[in-house]
Every structure is written in C-alpha cells, then in structure tokens.
Amino acid sequence: GSLHIGGARTALYNYLLAKRYGGSFILRIEDTDKERNTQSSQDQLIQELHWLGLEWDEGPDLEGQDRGDFGPYTQSQRGAVYHKYAQRLLEENKAFYCFASEEAIDQAREQTPNNVTFKFQSPYRDLPLHEAREKLKAGEEAVIRFRNDFHDRVFTMQDAVRGPVDLPSHMIGDFVILRADGSPVYNFCCAIDDALMEITHVLRGEEHLSNTLRQLMVLEALNLTPPTYGHLSLILDQEGKKLSKRTGASSVSDFMDAGYIPEGLLNYLALLGWSDPEHREILSLEEMSLVFSTDRLHLAAPMYDPDKMRWVNFQHLHAKEPAYIWQAAQPFIRKANLELPSDPKWSSLAMSFFHQVFHTLADAEHIFR
C-alpha cells in the first residue's frame, strides 16, 4: 500500500544525509517477502517518493529500469548473489542445512517457558555437509541456518542516533538465511547488499534494532564491512501509541488526498525527530539538506500534531503564487462538484482574496462553496 509517513521520514533523513555530505541516495526494493509484496504497492511507493521530490541517485526509475553501478536494485532479482554467499557459509561451516519440520519447531516453541526467548536447537546442526547434500538429492527439503558460534560475544556498534549500543550474541539462536524454497531471508539479503553496494550509512526505524545483530553476524562471517547504522525513534500519535490508520492519516496518500503539498509534508516530517541548528521551523528541502546532521536527530519519540502539520503546510502554501494554488486545487474543486466561473479574470480576482487562507488544497471546498 501507500508509504507510511514513518517510512517517508526515514527516506527524507537518508536523502538529507546523502545530500549534505555529497553522497548518493539509493532506492533498493526489498521484496523477499512474497506474501506482502505486490507490484502495485511497489509502483505506488516509487510514485510517492517522486511526488515528495526525494529523487534517488541509484535504483529503479518510474519505468522500473535501474540506474547505478551496483544493480539489480530489486532483491528478488539478486537470487544468484545470495545463493553464492550462502554456499560459501556452508563450505566454511558457518551455516548448515536444517531439515526440521515446521511441526517440530512449533513443538519445541510450545515447550519453551514463557519467560525465555525461543531459540531453536536444530538436531541437524552438526550433520556433515556431504550427508546433508545427499538428503537433498533424495528429495528432502531444508532451510539453511546461519551458525551462531559467537559464544556470548557482545557486538558493540556506534549508532548514529543512539550512540554505543551493545548487542549480546546470546539473544538469538541459529537463524534462517535461505528458506526451503531457496528464497533468501530479509536480514541475509540486506547484509550482503549493504556491503556489495558500498552502503556507508543506513538510517532506519528503531524496530530494526533486533535485525542489526543478525546482519552484523553475517557481515563478520563473510569478512564484509558493515555500514554505520542509525535507528530512529517511532512516530507516536496523540495517545502515545505508534501512529497508524486507526488514529487518522498515517500514509503519504492520506496527506495527498487531504490536500497537503510535498514541501509542507517534508518540512513537518523533518521536524518529527530532528531540529534545525538555527531553530528555524519553516525550511525548504534544499535548506534542510545544507544543515542536516545525525547529531541533531532526537532519541525521544516524537508525537504527531495535526494542528502543527496544518500550520507548516499553510506556511508553504502562503509562499506560493495564487495561480499555483488555483491549479493545484482543481482536483479538490471537481471532487466537491463546485461549478465555478471559467473566466480567468474571476479566478485571478478570487485567488487574490483567498489564496492566503488555504491551509491545504482541500480547503477549496469550503472557501468556494
């Protein structure tokens, strides 16, 4: 579906970071979850990033054609890459074939005490690789699990937002990197792609902190260099809960339908977790890109304020020419079935009176009714 504004804010911060330091802003399509991914949702995401004005330097364009030197940028097209590295891990005894059924895993999970994090102990962990391959030839199915042999080591990373973060290796067990059908798992793909695409910085939501340990393990096992990670706090609604459709507008399409313009939406999203060093509140995308830095990203979770959002959008609309607002408001005028004079002199006169009272383009309905 539509891009959640949390995802839009993440894209914005990555864009600003790249532009501030002369880097490349990269769009990568992470579509390994076949059940959740659809072509229509992918197309909508690309179109909404384009509408926002967050133009990427590398990745698929609006027609689906890649630009950049490290493609393909769609993970479902990179299967051979992931299989190559999975086989390398198998050969180096850093991964193993696991033939355990889902029923066996579920049974083990049910027997785990409620206060203990479930970590599946595969009976196939020490099965020699040549025997596992014989079982595969005989028609048996298996996933490939990464072998967590880090023995209670603590992975410490310097998070760009949170500072030093310790991730104890015992938090997770031997995790799946390739499913039984051969499709790769998200964390495996991202770790490899970040290294091969020479990604230097990744800003993402704090819900990805649990993924970071797995990615660091994979990268170390393959002797690949990890990027600098920064984990952003979630955007909360006015009840202090994660912002969702249940509590109102939460996606880019919601704000497009409500008559917001890209400049207003981007400006407000930037303020949800970052502050300008000169304490300005109304900024253009270019102005933000000149001063953005991760040391001004806030650790505290920001709260979405719809009134502040309308005010920020009003400031950007107020700076527009009346003719721009008139043209941009036409879809909302038609939607409201308003029959207004077609004489350009009328619209010019009307907008000279009313253009400064628009908070969103959708206000045209009650302004001209």
Side-chain angles (χ1 to χ4, degrees):
S2 179
L3 179 64
H4 187 275
I5 63 167
R9 184 192 63 165
T10 297
L12 170 62
Y13 287 164
N14 280 283
Y15 174 93
L16 294 175
L17 183 65
K19 298 308 172 186
R20 171 70 191 279
Y21 297 105
S24 296
F25 175 52
I26 299 164
L27 174 62
R28 186 169 72 211
I29 304 299
E30 297 172 350
D31 60 346
T32 55
D33 189 335
K34 297 178 181 178
E35 293 183 0
R36 296 180 62 188
N37 181 69
T38 65
Q39 187 62 46
S40 60
S41 63
Q42 177 179 316
D43 293 344
Q44 184 174 2
L45 181 148
I46 290 175
Q47 291 163 3
E48 288 175 355
L49 285 175
H50 181 67
W51 178 82
L52 286 167
L54 301 179
E55 301 297 343
W56 48 100
D57 302 294
E58 299 178 28
D61 59 23
L62 292 172
E63 287 73 43
Q65 301 298 313
D66 280 337
R67 60 173 178 265
D69 298 330
F70 298 94
Y73 291 89
T74 300
Q75 288 184 336
S76 60
Q77 299 174 12
R78 297 174 61 82
V81 174
Y82 309 132
H83 279 260
K84 169 188 170 184
Y85 282 95
Q87 291 301 315
R88 175 176 157 186
L89 290 173
L90 287 168
E91 295 289 347
E92 296 176 0
N93 200 34
K94 296 174 180 177
F96 63 93
Y97 284 108
C98 176
F99 295 85
S101 66
E102 289 295 328
E103 290 77 13
I105 296 172
D106 289 340
Q107 186 176 12
R109 183 181 288 108
E110 291 171 1
Q111 294 173 353
T112 302
N114 291 334
N115 61 343
V116 177
T117 302
F118 175 69
K119 291 182 286 189
F120 179 64
Q121 299 296 316
S122 174
Y124 300 94
R125 195 177 198 271
D126 297 319
L127 182 69
L129 182 57
H130 71 275
E131 292 185 24
R133 285 174 171 162
E134 288 299 323
K135 291 171 72 69
L136 291 172
K137 288 180 181 178
E140 295 190 47
E141 292 187 343
V143 300
I144 298 179
R145 289 183 180 272
F146 182 86
R147 187 188 301 275
N148 180 5
D149 278 340
F150 286 99
H151 304 298
D152 290 334
R153 177 178 150 192
V154 175
F155 284 75
T156 299
M157 68 167 180
Q158 187 66 29
D159 192 286
V161 180
R162 299 164 184 273
V165 175
D166 290 338
L167 300 168
S169 62
H170 64 72
M171 293 171 57
I172 58 176
D174 300 328
F175 54 93
V176 176
I177 57 175
L178 253 65
R179 302 180 183 92
D181 64 1
S183 61
V185 173
Y186 169 80
N187 283 307
F188 188 53
C189 298
C190 290
I192 292 172
D193 288 348
D194 285 347
L196 298 187
M197 294 180 179
E198 300 181 4
I199 304 297
T200 60
H201 292 76
V202 175
L203 300 180
R204 56 191 183 186
E206 66 179 2
E207 64 270 29
H208 284 282
L209 262 172
S210 60
N211 294 324
T212 305
L213 178 56
R214 292 173 173 83
Q215 294 172 18
L216 289 174
M217 285 182 173
V218 168
L219 289 165
E220 178 160 324
L222 292 169
N223 197 29
L224 298 173
T225 303
T228 295
Y229 299 106
H231 292 87
L232 310 165
S233 296
L234 298 177
I235 301 174
L236 304 180
D237 62 21
Q238 293 180 300
E239 298 177 359
K241 300 176 181 178
K242 182 179 178 180
L243 189 66
S244 66
K245 281 188 174 293
R246 182 186 62 82
T247 52
S250 64
S251 68
V252 171
S253 63
D254 290 335
F255 288 97
M256 294 170 68
D257 293 342
Y260 288 85
I261 60 175
E263 297 92 333
L265 180 54
L266 286 175
N267 189 165
Y268 183 66
L269 289 180
L271 300 178
L272 285 176
W274 172 83
S275 58
D276 171 56
E278 298 179 12
H279 307 292
R280 294 172 295 176
E281 291 199 292
I282 304 304
L283 301 108
S284 68
L285 187 60
E286 182 179 2
E287 287 171 330
M288 290 186 285
S289 69
L290 293 174
V291 297
F292 182 84
S293 62
T294 57
D295 60 359
R296 298 196 66 84
L297 289 170
H298 307 156
L299 186 56
M303 185 171 292
Y304 170 71
D305 182 348
D307 293 331
K308 179 70 173 289
M309 172 71 217
R310 279 180 59 85
W311 178 80
V312 170
N313 199 69
F314 167 78
Q315 301 300 321
H316 284 277
L317 271 176
H318 182 76
K320 297 287 188 181
E321 292 293 329
Y324 166 88
I325 301 176
W326 173 254
Q327 289 300 322
Q330 290 307 302
F332 300 92
I333 292 173
R334 290 192 294 270
K335 184 179 179 180
N337 295 317
L338 299 179
E339 296 184 6
L340 303 178
S342 58
D343 184 354
K345 292 182 179 180
W346 182 91
S347 62
S348 178
L349 181 62
M351 291 304 298
S352 68
F353 282 105
F354 295 121
H355 87 277
Q356 294 189 5
V357 300
F358 276 81
H359 283 73
T360 75
L361 298 172
D363 289 345
E365 179 177 357
H366 67 258
I367 289 173
F368 293 118
R369 185 171 295 280

